[in-house]
Amino acid sequence: MLKFGRYLLVLAAAVLVINFFGPQSASAATYYNATSATPSALAETCSTGSNAIYSFAASKYVSPNLTTSAAPLQARADNVGAWEKFCIVQWSRDEHVIISIAANKFVSARMNEPGYPLRASADTVGTWEKFSIGYVDGAAQFLSLANRKYVSARMNEPGYPLQASVDFDGPWERFCIC
């Protein structure tokens, strides 16, 4: 009986190792090179076309404000239109980049500006353009890999851009990738 228990333990460990280190699906293993990727080229890789990002706290869709040259991302739209479409691409195993389809730019957490606002303004991928996406209770959370802070909809300051400025996860930091 003890031998059988050890056998099951070894078998369970082997299954865990295979699932963690084993082969991945083709889409999960497709990563991109920062020196050659452009927003429009990567947007073509979106298998489902594009996504909208919905802020649960604001009850609004996220869009870049293309009426300004900085194109800040704001939770301000009631419906999904051309400005509210994004392509989210897996850059490496734990990194994602977000492309604004309307702006044809990478979303960037602007580390040189107060509050680290998100803007659809980058032509290439660097540290500021990489995010980790996690899920809590079915809601997506975006963590800026540049400063290890969560993206927040800033509900106490309407009209402000989304910012990568929060150390903890709360209701303002929860989104739907729809």
Side-chain angles (χ1 to χ4, degrees):
M1 183 72 158
L2 217 80
K3 251 184 179 180
F4 182 72
R6 280 190 223 158
Y7 171 76
L8 285 178
L9 185 61
V10 169
L11 181 62
V15 167
L16 284 173
V17 167
I18 289 169
N19 284 336
F20 186 77
F21 293 107
Q24 298 179 9
S25 69
S27 63
T30 304
Y31 304 135
Y32 300 92
N33 183 329
T35 59
S36 63
T38 64
S40 53
L42 282 180
E44 291 176 15
T45 67
C46 285
S47 59
T48 59
S50 59
N51 301 101
I53 300 173
Y54 181 81
S55 166
F56 287 114
S59 297
K60 301 273 185 188
Y61 290 95
V62 173
S63 65
N65 187 344
L66 297 177
T67 61
T68 69
S69 61
L73 265 62
Q74 298 170 311
R76 64 190 189 108
D78 292 322
N79 300 299
V80 177
W83 287 13
E84 291 74 36
K85 294 182 180 177
F86 297 88
C87 177
I88 299 172
V89 177
Q90 186 172 7
W91 188 259
S92 68
R93 184 177 179 127
D94 297 319
E95 299 174 332
H96 293 81
V97 294
I98 305 166
I99 302 160
S100 166
I101 303 297
N104 193 31
K105 301 278 186 184
F106 292 105
V107 170
S108 178
R110 304 295 298 179
M111 305 313 291
N112 61 340
E113 296 177 29
Y116 317 112
L118 267 60
R119 301 189 185 282
S121 60
D123 291 318
T124 59
V125 175
T127 306
W128 295 358
E129 291 74 36
K130 294 178 184 174
F131 298 87
S132 174
I133 301 174
Y135 292 89
V136 172
D137 299 329
Q141 303 170 303
F142 297 93
L143 181 72
S144 169
L145 295 177
N147 66 354
R148 310 297 298 170
K149 296 200 182 269
Y150 289 100
V151 172
S152 177
R154 305 287 299 186
M155 294 308 302
N156 60 336
E157 300 174 30
Y160 266 62
L162 273 62
Q163 297 179 330
S165 61
V166 179
D167 292 321
F168 55 89
D169 155 50
W172 294 357
E173 293 74 41
R174 298 199 180 168
F175 300 88
C176 173
I177 301 172
C178 318

